[in-house]
Amino acid sequence: MSYRLPSIISIAPTSGTTKGGVATTIRGSDFGPASAVVSLLTLSDTSALAFTSVVHVDDSTITAVTPPLTGTNNLKGLTVLLTIGGQTVATSTYD
C-alpha cells in the first residue's frame, strides 16, 4: 500500500526564540490519521534539534513545542523536517 507524500503548508507562529518553548502548529496535508506515528519532527541547519510535546491531531494538523537552539544557530531559514508514517517532508519556512 502506498500513501501520498505529506506536505507542510504553514507553520504558526512563523518565528520563535533561541530559547525554544514556543507552542507551534504545523498545518499541511496527507499527515494521515491521528494514529499514524510522527517519528521525527526537527528544526535543522546542520544538526537536528527535536521538537517536544508532539501531538498528531489529524490529517492536516500537528502541534509541538520548539526546541532550544544551540551552537551557531541564529533561528533564520531553518528547515523543518517531518517524518510520519515512514515518509519524510521538509520545509524551510521557519525563521
Side-chain angles (χ1 to χ4, degrees), residues 5 11-12 15-16 18-19 23-24 26 29-31 36 43-44 49 54 58 60 62-63 70 82-83 87 90 93-94:
L5 188 65
I11 301 170
S15 62
T18 57
K19 294 180 181 180
T24 305
I26 298 165
S29 62
D30 301 315
F31 292 163
L43 277 176
S44 180
L49 302 166
V54 177
D58 57 30
S60 61
I62 294 171
T63 60
T70 59
L82 167 66
T83 301
Q87 297 189 78
T93 57
Y94 197 81

Side-chain angles (χ1 to χ4, degrees), residues 8 11 43-44 76-81 89-95:
I8 296 174
I11 301 170
L43 277 176
S44 180
K76 297 293 179 192
L78 297 178
T79 299
V80 175
L81 184 66
V89 63
T91 184
S92 56
T93 57
Y94 197 81
D95 287 323

Side-chain angles (χ1 to χ4, degrees), residues 6 31 33-43 48-52 54-56 62-64 81-89:
F31 292 163
S35 60
V37 176
V38 176
S39 55
L40 181 69
L41 181 59
T42 61
L43 277 176
L49 302 166
F51 280 77
T52 60
V54 177
V55 176
H56 181 182
I62 294 171
T63 60
L81 184 66
L82 167 66
T83 301
I84 189 166
Q87 297 189 78
T88 301
V89 63

Side-chain angles (χ1 to χ4, degrees), residues 17 19-23 65-68:
T17 170
K19 294 180 181 180
V22 176
V65 175
T66 60

